[in-house]
Amino acid sequence: MVTIISRITTGRGQVVKGDVFIFPKGEKLTAEDLQGFLAYQRLLYDKRYKPNYNLYTSNHPILQDSEKAWSENNKLVVPMPRLLVDEYAGYFGGNAPTIQLEDETDNDSLQAWLNNVEFADEHSEIVKTVSIYGRSYLLAYQSEGAKPEVAHVEPDEGFMIYDDTVKCEPLAFVRYSWDENGILEGTIYYANEYVTFTDDTLEESISYTWHDVPAVEFYSNEERQGIFDGVKTLIEALDNVMSRKANQVDYFDNAYMLVLGLNLEDEDGNIQIDRNQRLIYSPDTDATSAKVGFIEKPDADGMQENLINRLVDLIYYTSMIPNLQDSAFSGNSSGVALQFKLLPMQNMAAFQERKFIKSLRRMFKVLFESADGGQIVRAIKKESWLDLRFTYTRNMPQNLADAVSTAVQASSLLSQQTALAMIPGVDDPQAEIKRKQEEQNETVKNAFNSIPNTPDYLVGDSHDDTEESEEQ
């Protein structure tokens, strides 16, 4: 049984951990229910999605701080969120996952569809969005030619509603936007039908080709937390200490000169001093103790540097993203040692991979079992989504020679297809095996053709075609 953490004030909707929406199974949303979900979605936008987007785009809270009078007002931003997201998203999703079917004909059709819809790019955007917001969505739709396609939807543009059973099956997906006049409009996607809406008005339902809710949610953990959600306060503290350090540098550049016990008047009794030169002048002090110097405050540079280093280390450590600029990486070329340093991020990626494969399989179930699923694979094979194989390869520097050597050694124990999958750059092992066989067959044919008086049954079709053309 799911644990309710909040009840939406308007309608019958509820919220469970991870800010997941649930609704009574088998029920349809009313206008009141929809408005309740949209209101809570707006709270999520203000509380999580907008702040996370601002952090990723280097629009940090310190930039909104008010100016302080009689003080330096440096506002420095250290773009750690972008660094963490881009580094991890590149590591996990820099290489598109390999998606394959055993059946050669169906696999060729699947690969052609993946290329046509630019699935690799959609997947990379999903990985980045999950890293920023903690969740993302993939929506299936029909193009103008009635062909199935997919598009990613960010969490500030839509949300999934699950039923209130133990399995929490998708019940509806809502996609919305505001037009230039500020009018809310969108679509509710159910299984077998969809409903459009404008503000609080729901239109009549319309049937369509999708037998399930044509959208899936992607996330890396059940709490739906992004890469830098746990280190926001550390990032803001780093911005503050860097800004204060810059203020201190400006303070020393603008330090006041103190002149005590010296008469700086000219013959006419005037003092030629520009007050903008930051000078404090007092001629009344005893001349025997005259003093000229700068007003200084204690130097806290060492303390600030220690705090900066501690904050940077904590941000990397608690986000489980390694600092690739660390001297420990540059001074050790051992592959095993490098793997241990990457272990926390590898573990996080392994958890996310399982979640992503689960979502991908669900999406292909929707695509294959829809009324027009035969456009991707043969209609009689619409349950082939059960046979799909998903392979993720981490994007990191690799020794290609070692990888090939490992694959060659593994080929004696594993299938040729599995061994080829170990080599970076081989996205479709099955197609690679087919190309290799074609090359070998062509080599054999060329070898026979080069031998004079070769029997026709050894030469093959190419020789027969030549003879037929000569007779004609």
Side-chain angles (χ1 to χ4, degrees):
M1 181 178 180
V2 293
T3 303
I4 308 300
I5 63 172
S6 177
R7 295 185 182 275
I8 296 178
T9 56
T10 303
R12 295 168 289 171
Q14 297 174 323
V15 183
V16 298
K17 70 175 183 178
D19 292 317
V20 175
F21 297 155
I22 63 173
F23 196 73
K25 181 179 181 180
E27 299 289 331
K28 301 294 184 181
L29 296 177
T30 64
E32 184 181 18
D33 297 327
L34 178 62
Q35 290 304 313
F37 282 122
L38 288 170
Y40 197 94
Q41 178 76 356
R42 183 66 187 182
L43 292 176
L44 286 179
Y45 174 79
D46 292 335
K47 182 177 68 173
R48 290 186 56 189
Y49 301 149
K50 184 178 180 180
N52 280 23
Y53 178 79
N54 286 339
L55 284 171
Y56 179 73
T57 55
S58 299
N59 184 18
H60 292 201
I62 194 172
L63 298 178
Q64 279 71 52
D65 287 352
S66 58
E67 299 286 337
K68 298 177 182 178
W70 303 102
S71 175
E72 286 73 16
N73 286 282
N74 287 291
K75 298 178 181 180
L76 302 187
V77 166
V78 183
M80 291 298 295
R82 174 178 288 275
L83 178 63
L84 296 174
V85 168
D86 291 352
E87 182 177 324
Y88 179 75
Y91 170 75
F92 179 79
N95 293 328
T98 301
I99 305 173
Q100 290 185 307
L101 286 167
E102 287 289 347
D103 184 272
E104 184 175 338
T105 302
D106 285 342
N107 186 63
D108 291 343
S109 177
L110 173 63
Q111 300 307 318
W113 180 82
L114 291 173
N115 290 330
N116 290 336
V117 301
E118 298 181 335
F119 188 84
D121 181 62
E122 295 293 340
H123 181 270
S124 63
E125 288 299 321
I126 289 172
V127 172
K128 186 179 77 171
T129 303
V130 170
S131 299
I132 298 173
Y133 303 111
R135 53 159 50 105
S136 184
Y137 305 97
L138 188 64
L139 175 67
Y141 67 97
Q142 282 188 311
S143 64
E144 294 181 357
K147 293 186 177 296
E149 297 195 20
V150 292
H152 76 281
V153 179
E154 298 197 353
D156 58 348
E157 300 171 347
F159 54 88
M160 184 72 77
I161 302 174
Y162 297 89
D163 63 32
D164 56 357
T165 63
V166 174
K167 293 190 66 175
C168 283
E169 295 288 344
L171 186 145
F173 179 73
V174 180
R175 185 169 180 267
Y176 62 92
S177 62
W178 283 268
D179 64 13
E180 62 276 7
N181 298 318
I183 298 176
L184 176 68
E185 53 188 16
T187 306
I188 306 173
Y189 299 89
Y190 298 103
N192 299 310
E193 63 182 10
Y194 69 93
V195 176
T196 59
F197 63 88
T198 303
D199 283 337
D200 57 353
T201 303
L202 300 182
E203 305 296 336
E204 292 294 326
S205 62
I206 301 175
S207 300
Y208 58 12
T209 186
W210 309 110
H211 300 325
D212 290 314
V213 177
V216 294
E217 181 183 8
F218 287 80
Y219 52 93
S220 59
N221 53 73
E222 293 292 339
E223 294 74 28
R224 270 68 168 183
Q225 284 198 318
I227 290 297
F228 57 84
D229 274 333
V231 294
K232 287 182 180 179
T233 56
L234 296 176
I235 292 170
E236 293 177 13
L238 181 60
D239 290 340
N240 285 328
V241 70
M242 290 296 293
S243 299
R244 291 176 183 274
K245 189 171 182 64
N247 289 342
Q248 188 178 46
V249 172
D250 287 349
Y251 169 83
F252 284 108
D253 287 342
N254 299 323
Y256 278 84
M257 175 173 282
L258 184 66
V259 179
L260 302 177
L262 292 180
N263 190 349
L264 301 181
E265 296 179 356
D266 58 16
E267 296 176 352
D268 299 326
N270 298 321
I271 303 175
Q272 303 298 326
I273 297 177
D274 184 357
R275 298 300 179 184
N276 292 326
Q277 295 177 349
R278 297 178 180 268
L279 177 67
I280 297 177
Y281 169 58
S282 176
D284 298 331
T285 305
D286 186 1
T288 59
S289 59
K291 181 180 180 181
V292 179
F294 288 96
I295 299 178
E296 298 181 3
K297 66 179 180 180
D299 182 8
D301 185 70
M303 181 177 64
Q304 291 171 338
E305 285 295 326
N306 288 334
L307 180 57
I308 291 172
N309 293 334
R310 180 62 61 86
L311 288 172
V312 170
D313 290 343
L314 282 174
I315 289 172
Y316 278 114
Y317 178 74
T318 54
S319 65
M320 293 188 288
I321 306 296
N323 183 1
L324 299 181
Q325 303 302 319
D326 195 302
S327 58
F329 278 92
S330 61
N332 196 328
S333 59
S334 170
V336 175
L338 182 61
Q339 293 293 331
F340 273 110
K341 293 168 186 174
L342 295 174
L343 184 59
M345 185 167 67
Q346 288 178 332
N347 290 337
M348 184 166 58
F351 294 143
Q352 181 169 340
E353 180 179 331
R354 297 187 190 103
K355 301 292 186 184
F356 267 50
I357 289 177
K358 178 181 177 181
S359 298
L360 285 173
R361 194 174 298 280
R362 186 177 197 93
M363 172 52 71
F364 280 100
K365 177 180 183 294
V366 172
L367 291 167
F368 286 4
E369 292 187 345
S370 66
D372 63 344
Q375 298 187 53
I376 303 177
V377 296
R378 292 170 291 181
I380 58 173
K381 291 289 189 71
K382 64 181 182 180
E383 292 186 357
S384 56
W385 60 271
L386 295 168
D387 302 323
L388 283 168
R389 294 197 316 276
F390 302 94
T391 304
Y392 277 84
T393 304
R394 308 290 181 258
N395 185 23
M396 59 184 299
Q398 295 186 15
N399 188 323
L400 185 58
D402 288 347
V404 172
S405 177
T406 301
V408 171
Q409 294 175 8
S411 62
S412 61
L413 300 174
L414 305 175
S415 67
Q416 191 175 6
Q417 188 169 335
T418 302
L420 280 174
M422 298 178 177
I423 302 176
V426 180
D427 298 328
D428 190 348
Q430 193 167 337
E432 190 65 30
I433 293 174
K434 184 179 178 181
R435 285 194 294 267
K436 183 63 177 177
Q437 290 174 343
E438 291 174 351
E439 289 179 358
Q440 292 174 342
N441 293 338
E442 187 65 25
T443 301
V444 172
K445 286 183 180 180
N446 293 336
F448 279 127
N449 289 334
S450 65
I451 301 175
N453 301 323
T454 304
D456 292 344
Y457 70 90
L458 290 177
V459 174
D461 296 336
S462 61
H463 186 67
D464 294 339
D465 294 341
T466 304
E467 287 184 350
E468 289 179 3
S469 62
E470 291 177 353
E471 289 176 0
Q472 293 175 357

Coordinates of all heavy atoms in Angstrom, one line a residue, residues 72-123:
E72 N 31.8 46.6 -0.9 CA 31.9 46.0 -2.2 C 30.8 45.0 -2.4 O 30.3 44.4 -1.5 CB 33.2 45.2 -2.3 CG 34.5 46.1 -2.5 CD 34.8 46.9 -1.2 OE1 34.3 46.5 -0.1 OE2 35.6 47.8 -1.3
N73 N 30.3 44.8 -3.7 CA 29.1 44.0 -3.9 C 29.4 43.0 -5.1 O 28.6 42.9 -6.0 CB 27.9 44.9 -4.3 CG 27.3 45.6 -3.1 OD1 26.6 45.0 -2.3 ND2 27.7 46.9 -2.9
N74 N 30.5 42.3 -4.9 CA 30.7 41.2 -5.9 C 29.7 40.1 -5.7 O 29.4 39.7 -4.6 CB 32.2 40.7 -5.8 CG 33.2 41.7 -6.2 OD1 33.3 42.0 -7.4 ND2 33.9 42.3 -5.3
K75 N 29.3 39.6 -6.8 CA 28.3 38.4 -6.8 C 28.9 37.4 -7.8 O 28.6 37.4 -9.0 CB 26.9 38.9 -7.2 CG 26.3 39.9 -6.2 CD 24.9 40.3 -6.7 CE 24.4 41.3 -5.7 NZ 23.0 41.8 -6.1
L76 N 29.7 36.5 -7.3 CA 30.3 35.5 -8.2 C 29.5 34.2 -8.1 O 29.0 33.8 -7.1 CB 31.7 35.2 -7.7 CG 32.7 36.5 -7.7 CD1 34.1 36.0 -7.4 CD2 32.6 37.2 -9.0
V77 N 29.4 33.6 -9.3 CA 28.7 32.3 -9.4 C 29.6 31.2 -9.9 O 30.3 31.4 -10.9 CB 27.5 32.5 -10.4 CG1 27.0 31.1 -10.8 CG2 26.4 33.3 -9.8
V78 N 29.7 30.2 -9.1 CA 30.5 29.0 -9.5 C 29.6 28.0 -10.1 O 28.7 27.5 -9.4 CB 31.3 28.4 -8.3 CG1 32.1 27.2 -8.8 CG2 32.1 29.5 -7.6
P79 N 29.6 27.7 -11.4 CA 28.6 26.9 -12.1 C 28.8 25.4 -11.8 O 28.8 24.6 -12.7 CB 28.8 27.2 -13.6 CG 30.3 27.5 -13.7 CD 30.6 28.3 -12.4
M80 N 28.8 25.0 -10.5 CA 28.9 23.6 -10.2 C 27.7 22.8 -10.6 O 28.0 21.6 -11.1 CB 29.1 23.5 -8.6 CG 30.4 24.1 -8.1 SD 31.8 23.2 -8.8 CE 31.6 21.6 -8.0
P81 N 26.5 23.3 -10.6 CA 25.4 22.4 -11.0 C 25.5 22.0 -12.5 O 25.3 20.8 -12.8 CB 24.1 23.3 -10.8 CG 24.5 24.2 -9.7 CD 26.0 24.5 -9.9
R82 N 25.9 22.9 -13.3 CA 26.1 22.6 -14.8 C 27.2 21.6 -14.9 O 27.1 20.7 -15.7 CB 26.4 23.9 -15.6 CG 26.7 23.6 -17.0 CD 26.9 24.8 -17.8 NE 25.6 25.5 -18.1 CZ 24.8 25.2 -19.1 NH1 25.2 24.3 -20.0 NH2 23.7 25.9 -19.3
L83 N 28.3 21.8 -14.2 CA 29.4 20.9 -14.3 C 29.1 19.5 -13.8 O 29.4 18.5 -14.5 CB 30.6 21.4 -13.4 CG 31.9 20.6 -13.3 CD1 32.5 20.5 -14.7 CD2 32.8 21.2 -12.3
L84 N 28.3 19.4 -12.7 CA 27.9 18.1 -12.2 C 27.0 17.4 -13.2 O 27.2 16.2 -13.5 CB 27.3 18.2 -10.8 CG 28.1 18.7 -9.7 CD1 27.3 18.9 -8.5 CD2 29.3 17.8 -9.4
V85 N 26.0 18.1 -13.7 CA 25.0 17.5 -14.6 C 25.7 17.1 -15.9 O 25.5 16.0 -16.4 CB 23.9 18.5 -14.9 CG1 23.0 18.1 -16.0 CG2 23.0 18.7 -13.6
D86 N 26.4 18.0 -16.5 CA 27.0 17.6 -17.8 C 28.0 16.5 -17.7 O 28.1 15.7 -18.6 CB 27.7 18.9 -18.4 CG 26.7 19.9 -18.8 OD1 25.5 19.6 -18.8 OD2 27.1 21.1 -19.2
E87 N 28.8 16.5 -16.6 CA 29.7 15.4 -16.4 C 29.1 14.0 -16.3 O 29.4 13.1 -16.9 CB 30.6 15.7 -15.2 CG 31.7 14.6 -15.0 CD 32.6 14.9 -13.8 OE1 32.9 16.2 -13.6 OE2 33.1 14.0 -13.1
Y88 N 28.0 14.0 -15.4 CA 27.3 12.7 -15.2 C 26.5 12.3 -16.4 O 26.5 11.2 -16.8 CB 26.4 12.8 -14.0 CG 25.7 11.5 -13.7 CD1 26.3 10.4 -13.2 CD2 24.3 11.4 -14.1 CE1 25.7 9.2 -13.0 CE2 23.7 10.2 -13.9 CZ 24.3 9.1 -13.3 OH 23.7 7.9 -13.2
A89 N 25.8 13.3 -17.0 CA 24.9 13.0 -18.2 C 25.8 12.5 -19.3 O 25.4 11.6 -20.1 CB 24.1 14.2 -18.6
G90 N 27.0 13.1 -19.5 CA 27.9 12.6 -20.5 C 28.4 11.2 -20.2 O 28.6 10.3 -21.1
Y91 N 28.6 10.9 -18.9 CA 29.1 9.6 -18.5 C 28.0 8.5 -18.7 O 28.3 7.4 -19.3 CB 29.6 9.6 -17.1 CG 29.9 8.3 -16.5 CD1 31.0 7.6 -16.8 CD2 29.0 7.7 -15.6 CE1 31.3 6.4 -16.2 CE2 29.3 6.4 -15.0 CZ 30.4 5.8 -15.3 OH 30.7 4.6 -14.8
F92 N 26.8 8.8 -18.3 CA 25.7 7.8 -18.4 C 25.1 7.8 -19.8 O 24.8 6.7 -20.3 CB 24.7 8.1 -17.3 CG 23.5 7.1 -17.3 CD1 23.7 5.9 -16.7 CD2 22.3 7.5 -18.0 CE1 22.6 5.0 -16.8 CE2 21.3 6.6 -18.0 CZ 21.4 5.3 -17.4
G93 N 24.8 8.9 -20.4 CA 24.1 8.9 -21.6 C 24.8 9.4 -22.8 O 24.2 9.6 -23.9
G94 N 26.2 9.6 -22.7 CA 26.9 10.1 -23.8 C 26.9 9.1 -25.0 O 26.9 9.4 -26.1
N95 N 26.9 7.8 -24.6 CA 26.7 6.7 -25.6 C 25.3 6.3 -25.6 O 24.8 5.9 -24.5 CB 27.6 5.5 -25.3 CG 29.1 5.9 -25.5 OD1 29.5 6.7 -26.3 ND2 29.9 5.2 -24.7
A96 N 24.6 6.3 -26.7 CA 23.2 5.9 -26.8 C 23.1 4.4 -26.5 O 24.0 3.6 -26.8 CB 22.6 6.2 -28.2
P97 N 22.1 4.0 -25.7 CA 21.9 2.6 -25.4 C 21.7 1.8 -26.7 O 21.0 2.3 -27.7 CB 20.7 2.6 -24.5 CG 19.9 3.8 -24.9 CD 20.9 4.8 -25.2
T98 N 22.2 0.6 -26.7 CA 21.9 -0.4 -27.8 C 20.6 -1.1 -27.5 O 20.5 -1.7 -26.5 CB 23.1 -1.4 -27.9 OG1 24.3 -0.6 -28.2 CG2 22.8 -2.3 -29.1
I99 N 19.7 -1.0 -28.5 CA 18.4 -1.6 -28.4 C 18.2 -2.6 -29.5 O 18.3 -2.2 -30.7 CB 17.2 -0.6 -28.4 CG1 17.5 0.5 -27.3 CG2 15.9 -1.3 -28.2 CD1 16.5 1.6 -27.4
Q100 N 18.1 -3.9 -29.2 CA 18.1 -4.9 -30.2 C 17.0 -6.0 -30.0 O 16.5 -6.2 -28.9 CB 19.4 -5.6 -30.3 CG 20.6 -4.8 -30.8 CD 21.9 -5.6 -30.9 OE1 22.3 -6.2 -30.0 NE2 22.5 -5.6 -32.1
L101 N 16.7 -6.7 -31.2 CA 15.8 -7.8 -31.2 C 16.5 -9.0 -31.8 O 17.4 -8.8 -32.6 CB 14.5 -7.5 -32.0 CG 13.5 -6.6 -31.4 CD1 12.5 -6.2 -32.4 CD2 12.8 -7.3 -30.2
E102 N 16.2 -10.2 -31.3 CA 16.9 -11.4 -31.9 C 16.6 -11.6 -33.3 O 17.4 -11.9 -34.1 CB 16.4 -12.6 -31.0 CG 17.0 -12.7 -29.6 CD 18.5 -13.0 -29.7 OE1 19.0 -13.4 -30.7 OE2 19.1 -12.8 -28.6
D103 N 15.3 -11.4 -33.7 CA 14.9 -11.7 -35.1 C 15.5 -10.6 -36.0 O 15.4 -9.4 -35.8 CB 13.4 -11.6 -35.2 CG 12.9 -11.9 -36.6 OD1 12.8 -11.0 -37.5 OD2 12.6 -13.1 -36.9
E104 N 16.2 -11.1 -37.0 CA 17.0 -10.2 -37.8 C 16.2 -9.2 -38.6 O 16.5 -8.0 -38.7 CB 17.9 -11.0 -38.8 CG 18.8 -10.2 -39.7 CD 19.7 -11.0 -40.6 OE1 19.9 -12.2 -40.3 OE2 20.2 -10.5 -41.6
T105 N 15.0 -9.7 -39.2 CA 14.2 -8.8 -39.9 C 13.6 -7.7 -39.0 O 13.5 -6.5 -39.3 CB 13.0 -9.6 -40.6 OG1 13.6 -10.6 -41.4 CG2 12.1 -8.7 -41.4
D106 N 13.0 -8.1 -37.9 CA 12.5 -7.2 -36.9 C 13.5 -6.2 -36.4 O 13.3 -5.0 -36.2 CB 11.8 -7.9 -35.7 CG 10.5 -8.5 -36.1 OD1 9.9 -8.1 -37.2 OD2 10.0 -9.4 -35.4
N107 N 14.7 -6.7 -36.2 CA 15.8 -5.9 -35.7 C 16.2 -4.8 -36.7 O 16.4 -3.6 -36.3 CB 17.0 -6.7 -35.3 CG 18.1 -5.9 -34.6 OD1 17.9 -5.3 -33.5 ND2 19.2 -5.7 -35.3
D108 N 16.2 -5.2 -38.0 CA 16.5 -4.2 -39.0 C 15.5 -3.1 -39.0 O 15.7 -1.9 -39.2 CB 16.6 -4.9 -40.4 CG 17.9 -5.7 -40.5 OD1 18.8 -5.6 -39.7 OD2 17.9 -6.6 -41.4
S109 N 14.2 -3.5 -38.9 CA 13.1 -2.6 -38.9 C 13.2 -1.7 -37.7 O 12.9 -0.5 -37.8 CB 11.8 -3.3 -38.9 OG 10.7 -2.4 -38.9
L110 N 13.5 -2.2 -36.5 CA 13.6 -1.5 -35.3 C 14.7 -0.4 -35.4 O 14.5 0.7 -35.0 CB 13.9 -2.4 -34.1 CG 14.2 -1.7 -32.8 CD1 13.0 -0.9 -32.3 CD2 14.6 -2.8 -31.7
Q111 N 15.9 -0.8 -35.9 CA 17.0 0.1 -36.0 C 16.7 1.2 -37.0 O 17.0 2.4 -36.8 CB 18.3 -0.6 -36.5 CG 18.7 -1.7 -35.6 CD 18.9 -1.3 -34.2 OE1 19.4 -0.2 -33.9 NE2 18.5 -2.1 -33.2
A112 N 16.0 0.9 -38.1 CA 15.6 2.0 -39.0 C 14.6 3.0 -38.3 O 14.7 4.2 -38.5 CB 14.9 1.4 -40.2
W113 N 13.7 2.5 -37.5 CA 12.8 3.4 -36.8 C 13.5 4.2 -35.8 O 13.2 5.4 -35.7 CB 11.7 2.6 -36.1 CG 10.7 3.4 -35.4 CD1 9.6 4.0 -35.9 CD2 10.7 3.7 -34.0 NE1 8.9 4.7 -34.9 CE2 9.6 4.6 -33.7 CE3 11.5 3.4 -32.9 CZ2 9.3 5.0 -32.5 CZ3 11.2 3.9 -31.7 CH2 10.1 4.7 -31.4
L114 N 14.4 3.6 -35.0 CA 15.2 4.4 -34.1 C 16.0 5.5 -34.7 O 16.1 6.6 -34.2 CB 16.2 3.5 -33.3 CG 15.6 2.4 -32.4 CD1 16.6 1.5 -31.9 CD2 14.9 3.1 -31.2
N115 N 16.5 5.3 -35.9 CA 17.3 6.3 -36.6 C 16.3 7.4 -37.1 O 16.6 8.6 -37.1 CB 18.0 5.7 -37.8 CG 19.2 4.9 -37.3 OD1 19.8 5.1 -36.3 ND2 19.6 3.8 -38.1
N116 N 15.2 7.0 -37.6 CA 14.2 7.9 -38.2 C 13.7 8.9 -37.1 O 13.5 10.1 -37.4 CB 13.0 7.2 -38.9 CG 13.4 6.5 -40.1 OD1 14.4 6.9 -40.8 ND2 12.7 5.5 -40.5
V117 N 13.4 8.4 -35.9 CA 12.9 9.3 -34.9 C 14.0 10.0 -34.1 O 13.7 10.7 -33.1 CB 11.9 8.5 -34.0 CG1 10.8 7.9 -34.8 CG2 12.6 7.4 -33.2
E118 N 15.3 9.7 -34.4 CA 16.4 10.3 -33.7 C 16.3 10.0 -32.2 O 16.4 10.8 -31.3 CB 16.5 11.8 -33.9 CG 16.7 12.2 -35.4 CD 16.8 13.6 -35.6 OE1 16.3 14.4 -34.8 OE2 17.4 14.1 -36.6
F119 N 16.1 8.7 -31.9 CA 15.9 8.2 -30.6 C 17.1 8.5 -29.7 O 17.0 8.8 -28.5 CB 15.6 6.7 -30.6 CG 15.2 6.2 -29.2 CD1 13.9 6.3 -28.8 CD2 16.1 5.6 -28.3 CE1 13.4 5.9 -27.6 CE2 15.7 5.2 -27.1 CZ 14.4 5.3 -26.7
A120 N 18.3 8.5 -30.2 CA 19.5 8.7 -29.4 C 19.5 10.1 -28.9 O 19.9 10.3 -27.7 CB 20.8 8.5 -30.3
D121 N 19.1 11.1 -29.7 CA 19.0 12.5 -29.2 C 18.0 12.7 -28.1 O 18.2 13.4 -27.1 CB 18.8 13.4 -30.4 CG 18.8 14.9 -29.9 OD1 19.8 15.4 -29.4 OD2 17.7 15.5 -30.1
E122 N 16.8 12.0 -28.3 CA 15.7 12.1 -27.3 C 16.2 11.5 -26.0 O 15.9 12.0 -24.9 CB 14.5 11.4 -27.8 CG 13.8 12.0 -29.1 CD 13.2 13.4 -28.8 OE1 13.0 13.7 -27.6 OE2 13.1 14.2 -29.7
H123 N 16.9 10.4 -26.1 CA 17.4 9.7 -24.9 C 18.4 10.6 -24.1 O 18.4 10.7 -22.9 CB 18.0 8.4 -25.2 CG 18.5 7.6 -24.1 ND1 19.8 7.8 -23.6 CD2 17.9 6.7 -23.3 CE1 20.0 7.0 -22.6 NE2 18.8 6.3 -22.3

